Amino acid sequence: MAPLPNAELVQNSLQLYRYLLRCCKRLPEERIRQHYRHAVRQSFKVHADEDDPERIQQIIKRAIEDADWVMNK
């Protein structure tokens, strides 16, 4: 399953959050979708206080790579 198009356009945390939730909608089983939606929400709570722009970009890049891996699994 290919990732959603325009992943390269994700520039901030809100765009990333929306992108990842859209990816979750494309997963095949409901329990898998629920698991990854929960993981996305928890991850955003953990990183909510991050204020270093460079670190935020690293997190965005890694999250998109991880989503790509999950979608191709």
Side-chain angles (χ1 to χ4, degrees), residues 2-10 19 22-23 26 64 71:
L4 291 174
N6 301 323
E8 66 278 357
L9 298 178
V10 174
Y19 174 81
R22 282 189 215 111
C23 285
R26 297 183 64 196
I64 291 172
M71 298 301 285

Side-chain angles (χ1 to χ4, degrees), residues 58-69:
Q58 290 174 344
I59 293 169
I60 289 171
K61 182 178 183 283
R62 179 59 193 254
I64 291 172
E65 289 171 358
D66 291 349
D68 190 21
W69 181 83

Side-chain angles (χ1 to χ4, degrees), residues 37-47:
R37 274 195 309 261
H38 178 74
V40 167
R41 290 181 180 125
Q42 289 300 103
S43 184
F44 272 81
K45 288 178 184 177
V46 168
H47 296 292

